[in-house]
Amino acid sequence: MHEKSRFFETSSWLISLLLVFPILAIFYTAMGGDNEIFGHLMATVMGTYTYNTAVIVLGTVILSILMGIPTAWIMANCDIPGGRWLQWALVLPAAMPGYIVGYIYTDWFDYAGPIQILLRDIMGWTSPAHYWFPDLRTLPGACFVLSLVLYPYIYLLARASFMEQSVTLSQSARLLGCSPLQAFWRVSLPLARPAIAVGASLVAMEALGDFGTVSYFAVNTLTTAVYDTWLGYSNLNAAAKISAIMLVVIFILISSERYSRRKQQLFSQTVSADKIEKVKLRGKFKIAATVFCWGLFAAAFAAPLVQLIIFALGYLSSSSVIDFVQYSLNSLYVSGIAAVAALGVALLVNFYRRLSGKSVSAAPSRIASLGYAVPGTILAIGVLIFLTRGDHLINDVAKYFDLGRPGLVLSGTMFAMITAFVVRFSGVAIGSVESSLQKVAPSLDMAARTLGCSAKSMIKRVQLPLIRRGCLIAMLLVFIESMKELNAAILLRPFNFETLATYVFNYASDEQLELAAMPAVLLVFVGLIPLILINRSLERGHA
């Protein structure tokens, strides 16, 4: 069915353009304005910021690959103790905010921390001059902490790719004289390279846009430069210039990843008669694989979570329950509105694509999804520029009609935060709704039209009931991502307004995470929900 619906067409294009305007506003603002502060930054610290950013991105990607690929291959092809539980447990570190893991590891490994105290007691050392211990608050330390929470991107995609590979390929390699390790290097790894490249690009973009971890570790990057330029120098133009540079870098990363696999085509898939029979490891290989996988899970998730729970229980009487409740309600409020709004965007653009059937109808959904590739700090600058222009327009109109000046109607309220969340996470909702809508057979639409249903009636009575689960998942994913979002919230929140994420970060920055351990535990458990959903979907797809 191909039906032109003026309402869906107009609404889809209008909303998609509104969602992409904050991104375009960054480039527009960066091309004008005063270059004095930006020139000063370029002449003094920008080289250091760029170097630190490059090291953070490259180091995090390398460490994430070293953590993600071996665990993915072991979980997909080998049988180790607790493997059934471990295959989803290795995904859980993605729910841990990096700055929380950074605080906990810093607390453990500092001179006054339990690790060094234990070493001094055992070895008899009395001062730092007697021994050397690595300093975690460095560039390598930041890379290590970020890789602990970002390697699941590579693990998930690589594991899915290894599970989809036909077992006959590895069997053929073994028959030709390859050892299991040689079969991995020559067959499995090259076939998984596209998935690994996608995961590595996601890790790179997350590392590039990270603010909480690098800020806590006092490592100056381009992201912290955007934050400091806006809040420190109050110069939106210079912040826009830095943001534009980062957007160009992100575009290069995405383009390079796609260009690297432009000619790759994979046709071998695992079918029901081609089940993977997992290798039963023995001896030292079994011990090494088990220790590596369980050790990584413990280091990245289990141990930090236990420490958070200990903090929460130990400092429960010192924590402010009133603040916790208030900030939880704030997070629920803005995240709930953002989830509903993002679902509305997803339904409009997907129904327009479904009703139209033309190739151009896919453009609004693609445009509306662009914000998901933009780090929160950069997107916050674009939203701020866009809404500030809107505030000026509202005040000019009000003045023209002698209504006074209403002030910051858009940029100084929760509307700015909600707008940033919708722009950033609409792509998540669009993907979820699109996936559900694709499972609805076109014959059902034709049958509804044959029975006299209009387009709107067909959507209400046929399509919406069938994609209800996808809509609920879309809302849930956007809600949870908005609850955890720190970068945009910390720049766009109104005065005296805190969310759980900003509340926890403020205490972590002041070396008092213990007092905010209870909301930190809540953030972690909230972040587990989409990971469990994704992993269950992966298991069903390869059952």
Side-chain angles (χ1 to χ4, degrees), residues 306-319 513-518 521:
V306 170
Q307 182 65 79
L308 275 181
I309 294 174
I310 293 173
F311 282 158
L313 295 176
Y315 290 83
L316 186 61
S317 59
S318 304
S319 303
L513 180 63
E514 299 89 346
L515 299 178
M518 186 164 53
V521 171

Side-chain angles (χ1 to χ4, degrees), residues 70-378:
T71 52
W73 188 82
I74 292 170
M75 288 297 100
N77 296 281
C78 302
D79 185 12
I80 64 173
R84 180 176 177 83
W85 296 97
L86 191 58
Q87 64 183 355
W88 63 263
L90 286 168
V91 184
L92 302 184
M96 273 283 183
Y99 56 91
I100 293 179
V101 177
Y103 175 89
I104 292 173
Y105 268 85
T106 302
D107 184 64
W108 285 344
F109 289 94
D110 268 350
Y111 181 77
I115 304 296
Q116 292 201 50
I117 290 176
L118 180 63
L119 287 175
R120 289 196 296 270
D121 290 342
I122 294 175
M123 304 301 296
W125 297 324
T126 57
S127 72
H130 293 162
Y131 68 100
W132 175 85
F133 199 84
D135 183 9
L136 195 64
R137 285 200 175 189
T138 57
L139 268 173
C143 294
F144 170 73
V145 169
L146 284 174
S147 63
L148 286 179
V149 298
L150 294 179
Y151 85 85
Y153 285 102
I154 294 176
Y155 165 77
L156 269 174
L157 294 170
R159 177 180 160 228
S161 179
F162 289 140
M163 292 172 69
E164 290 170 354
Q165 293 175 12
S166 176
V167 70
T168 55
L169 294 175
S170 59
Q171 290 174 345
S172 299
R174 296 299 304 278
L175 289 174
L176 291 172
C178 290
S179 66
L181 184 60
Q182 289 174 327
F184 167 75
W185 282 108
R186 297 182 180 182
V187 179
S188 298
L189 189 61
L191 288 174
R193 198 180 81 174
I196 295 171
V198 173
S201 65
L202 291 173
V203 171
M205 287 189 290
E206 289 291 335
L208 179 65
D210 178 79
F211 172 76
T213 307
V214 295
S215 176
Y216 177 73
F217 276 58
V219 175
N220 292 316
T221 64
L222 292 176
T223 302
T224 59
V226 172
Y227 182 85
D228 294 338
T229 303
W230 167 231
L231 294 185
Y233 293 99
S234 298
N235 192 302
L236 197 57
N237 179 262
K241 292 181 185 298
I242 301 173
S243 299
I245 294 174
M246 294 183 67
L247 281 176
V248 172
V249 172
I250 291 171
F251 174 77
I252 292 174
L253 285 174
I254 296 174
S255 301
S256 299
E257 181 271 322
R258 292 182 177 178
Y259 182 80
S260 67
R261 56 187 177 93
R262 67 193 185 283
K263 295 182 179 180
Q264 291 184 347
Q265 294 181 350
L266 300 178
F267 300 104
S268 177
Q269 299 292 326
T270 302
V271 295
S272 57
D274 191 22
K275 296 287 186 180
I276 295 178
E277 185 177 349
K278 292 191 174 183
V279 178
K280 291 186 179 295
L281 298 178
R282 300 184 186 278
K284 60 182 180 180
F285 297 105
K286 180 179 180 179
I287 295 173
T290 304
V291 170
F292 179 75
C293 293
W294 279 108
L296 181 58
F297 166 68
F301 183 78
L305 180 60
V306 170
Q307 182 65 79
L308 275 181
I309 294 174
I310 293 173
F311 282 158
L313 295 176
Y315 290 83
L316 186 61
S317 59
S318 304
S319 303
S320 175
V321 177
I322 296 177
D323 287 345
F324 171 64
V325 172
Q326 180 60 53
Y327 301 149
S328 298
L329 292 175
N330 290 346
S331 293
L332 290 172
Y333 181 70
V334 296
S335 301
I337 296 177
V340 174
L343 177 62
V345 172
L347 290 174
L348 278 175
V349 297
N350 277 297
F351 282 145
Y352 166 55
R353 185 176 182 179
R354 178 88 172 194
L355 294 174
S356 175
K358 296 181 179 180
S359 57
V360 72
S361 63
S365 63
R366 300 294 173 258
I367 294 173
S369 300
L370 289 176
Y372 193 59
V374 182
T377 303
I378 299 175

Side-chain angles (χ1 to χ4, degrees), residues 482-527:
S482 300
M483 286 277 289
K484 299 190 318 180
E485 175 62 28
L486 171 68
N487 297 6
I490 207 167
L491 279 174
L492 298 175
R493 57 182 174 165
F495 293 110
N496 298 321
F497 185 89
E498 299 279 1
T499 64
L500 284 177
T502 60
Y503 179 63
V504 172
F505 175 74
N506 288 338
Y507 272 101
S509 300
D510 295 336
E511 306 286 348
Q512 293 180 319
L513 180 63
E514 299 89 346
L515 299 178
M518 186 164 53
V521 171
L522 177 60
L523 279 179
V524 172
F525 279 107
V526 164

